[in-house]
Each structure stands twice: as structure tokens, then as C-alpha cells.
Amino acid sequence: MLTNLTLIHEHMAIDLSGPKKDLDCRMDLLTDGLQEIANLKNHGVVRILDCSNRGMGRDLKQVLELEKQTNIQILFSTGYYKDPFLPSEVDELTVDQLADLMTKEITEGIEGLRCASVIGEIGTSLNVITPNEEKVFLAACIAHKKTGAPILTHTTLGTMGDQQVDLLRKHGVDLDKVLISHVDLKNDFDSIVRLLNSGVNVGFDTIGKNNYLPDETRLDWIVRLIDLGYIDQLFLSMDITRKSNLAVNGGIGYHYLFDTFIPELKKRNITEDQLQRILSDNPNRFLGGNAV
Ligand SMILES: [Zn+2]
């Protein structure tokens, strides 16, 4: 059985309902999915990274209560998402001020409750990096260099990953402390290999979102990337952000990763040991410590 696992790209509380004009995009799991999170322990999950940040409906009070009730450790994130979800402070503050704010959340804590573990998910738009998104990336580089905190990025439909890497590299970020998310939303295997060759980590973190890319393709690509020797740079997660995605509401639910996707990997000769590396060793290394 798999043990000591971390889900690297999830949202324990998120609210994108304003710009998206859809109340389905407001979810907090203490209210909407407590049992579903608690059940993850049966699959070996001990820790989840909450990728919600400033302006995304991050809610430490709710989520710390969720942590207490489920006994699954939750880690928190600092930074800003992407246009049009950026709060006005991104426009108003300088890059240095934004970096100070992130640094403070990493070293002193968020609202006096818990320190942020990761700068993420900081994002770029479809096929473009907007000026305010670039500002957030530059601030993240400064905060990363000051604190050593890893950076987790959002790519919109898998685009602009190369440009993100160029920007981060140019500003002195350790690329093995970078995780490029959502590479599994774009039908372009070679672009993933290119990212991996730069030294960054990549997230197959929208598992089950077959309307963007069929899981059949995700499965094939993961097997191929393992064969090519990239296993230590691969991460798996589901990125559930909508109430309707929860099992209790008839959605696919977090258990899909364990009940459906992982058995398919095993059918393709991926071993328990390899899965343990992807879902436990890789997050531990990226986050700089074992789950407690
Ligand atoms: Zn994302």
C-alpha cells in the first residue's frame, strides 16, 4: 500500500465565483467535502498543498479546522493567481513591496496563523504573460531567493511554460525548486520533455479532466516519461476547484486518482515503488521536508 503521500495541487478553500460568475467555483471543504478529505487517509494521503493564495479565497481559519478534523496536514501558499483574479494590490504595490508581502507570509505567517510553505500558484494567461502577472513572477523570484521557498506556477491550458522557465531562470531561481502545473491540459508531449530538460518539475495535476485531454493520453505520457528517466520530476494531483467535482455532489471526487487512475498506471507496469516515489518522495523533496 502507498504511504506518506502528498497531493501537491489542490484547493481546500477557493472562491473564483466573482470573475467566473458561477457559484460552483466557491468551495470550502470543511463545509462541502469534509468526509471526502478524511477518506483520503485510507489511500495513504497524509498531506495536501492548498494552492489558493491572495485573492483566490484562501481561508486559513476554515482550512485549519479542516486539518484538525481530518488529521491530514495542510500546507499553505502565498502569492497571486493570474488576471483577471489579481486583487488591486498587485497594481498598487511595487515589485519589492509584493516580494516583502510574500516573504512575510513565508517567514512570519499568514494572518498570524501559519507560515506559507510555497509561492504559488502564480499564473500566466492563455498564450500571454500580462504586465501584472510578470510583476507577480518578479516578486516571487525575490521572495524565493530570500527564503528558499519553492515556486509552483499555473499555466493556462498548459501554455507559456517555456516563457515562465526563461523568466525564472533569468532571475536566479533554482529550477529544481520550480513546479510547472497543468502541463497535462495541452496535447503537446514534446513541450513537456523540453520543460523537464530545463530542470523544472511538472505537474500532471488535472487528472480526470478528460474534456481537456483524455486520461488515456495522460497515462501513456506518464509511462513514456518514466521510461525516459524523468520520474523524479513528475507530480500527480487533481486540482479540484468546483463543488460539482466532489463525489458527494456526483462529481469525480478525489478518490478517482486512487480508485481509477493509479490502477490504470499499474496495468501499464508502473510499480508501487515508482508510485511511491512520485506521490511521496518527489513532494517531500520539493517541499523540503517529510510530512509530520
Ligand atoms: Zn491552476
Side-chain angles (χ1 to χ4, degrees):
M1 150 136 185
L2 298 170
T3 57
N4 201 32
L5 311 184
T6 298
L7 295 182
I8 201 75
H9 194 126
E10 299 300 339
H11 297 273
M12 298 295 99
I14 185 165
D15 186 1
L16 303 179
S17 63
K20 287 196 185 256
K21 296 190 173 57
D22 184 352
L23 280 177
D24 194 29
C25 303
R26 182 190 295 167
M27 175 181 87
D28 88 73
L29 290 165
L30 180 65
T31 311
D32 301 320
L34 178 64
Q35 194 54 48
E36 198 162 333
I37 294 299
N39 289 347
L40 285 171
K41 272 184 299 195
N42 304 331
H43 297 291
V45 175
V46 295
R47 185 167 61 167
I48 301 174
L49 176 63
D50 183 349
C51 294
S52 295
N53 53 28
R54 299 175 71 84
M56 280 182 101
R58 186 183 64 185
D59 188 339
L60 266 73
K61 272 203 183 121
Q62 290 281 104
V63 174
L64 287 170
E65 184 58 29
L66 176 78
E67 178 187 71
K68 201 166 127 197
Q69 293 199 28
T70 58
N71 205 24
I72 290 184
Q73 186 190 5
I74 313 287
L75 301 184
F76 293 95
S77 306
T78 186
Y80 303 88
Y81 184 33
K82 61 162 202 162
D83 273 319
F85 303 97
L86 300 174
S88 57
E89 66 194 51
V90 174
D91 213 35
E92 291 152 12
L93 301 179
T94 65
V95 168
D96 283 328
Q97 286 171 324
L98 292 169
D100 283 348
L101 226 145
M102 294 181 199
T103 303
K104 257 199 179 135
E105 290 200 335
I106 296 162
T107 57
E108 293 172 26
I110 302 163
E111 300 152 25
L113 292 170
R114 178 77 62 82
C115 290
S117 302
V118 166
I119 302 164
E121 62 176 303
I122 58 168
T124 52
S125 293
L126 183 67
N127 295 318
V128 68
I129 303 180
T130 70
N132 275 339
E133 288 164 357
E134 180 164 346
K135 209 171 159 185
V136 170
F137 267 70
L138 295 179
C141 293
I142 297 171
H144 161 82
K145 282 188 280 183
K146 272 193 188 149
T147 63
I151 297 177
L152 182 147
T153 77
H154 161 98
T155 59
T156 298
L157 299 183
T159 66
M160 305 307 282
D162 292 327
Q163 290 81 353
Q164 290 185 358
V165 170
D166 287 347
L167 193 61
L168 296 168
R169 185 197 282 119
K170 189 169 135 201
H171 292 277
V173 172
D174 296 332
L175 293 184
D176 63 347
K177 297 295 275 180
V178 173
L179 170 50
I180 309 287
S181 297
H182 316 325
V183 299
D184 57 342
L185 289 174
K186 189 170 76 161
N187 195 0
D188 185 353
F189 181 79
D190 291 344
S191 74
I192 301 177
V193 172
R194 203 163 56 234
L195 288 174
L196 289 164
N197 285 338
S198 79
V200 297
N201 304 285
V202 302
F204 281 72
D205 46 23
T206 61
I207 286 166
K209 297 191 179 175
N210 286 311
N211 47 334
Y212 295 101
L213 189 80
D215 272 349
E216 199 63 32
T217 307
R218 287 188 180 87
L219 291 160
D220 286 347
W221 287 0
I222 290 168
V223 171
R224 278 170 73 187
L225 291 171
I226 291 173
D227 285 345
L228 289 168
Y230 295 112
I231 189 168
D232 294 334
Q233 292 162 267
L234 304 181
F235 288 73
L236 302 183
S237 209
M238 293 193 61
D239 192 19
I240 286 182
T241 59
R242 289 171 174 263
K243 281 189 275 220
S244 59
N245 293 144
L246 298 172
V248 69
N249 298 323
I252 118 177
Y254 295 92
H255 61 89
Y256 175 90
L257 174 60
F258 300 96
D259 293 344
T260 305
F261 195 81
I262 285 176
E264 286 297 326
L265 282 173
K266 286 183 176 168
K267 274 190 212 162
R268 289 163 175 76
N269 297 323
I270 301 304
T271 66
E272 190 98 342
D273 192 50
Q274 288 171 316
L275 289 164
Q276 189 69 31
R277 280 170 74 180
I278 294 172
L279 280 153
S280 180
D281 298 358
N282 290 355
N284 288 347
R285 194 178 54 251
F286 180 70
L287 297 166
N290 289 329
V292 288

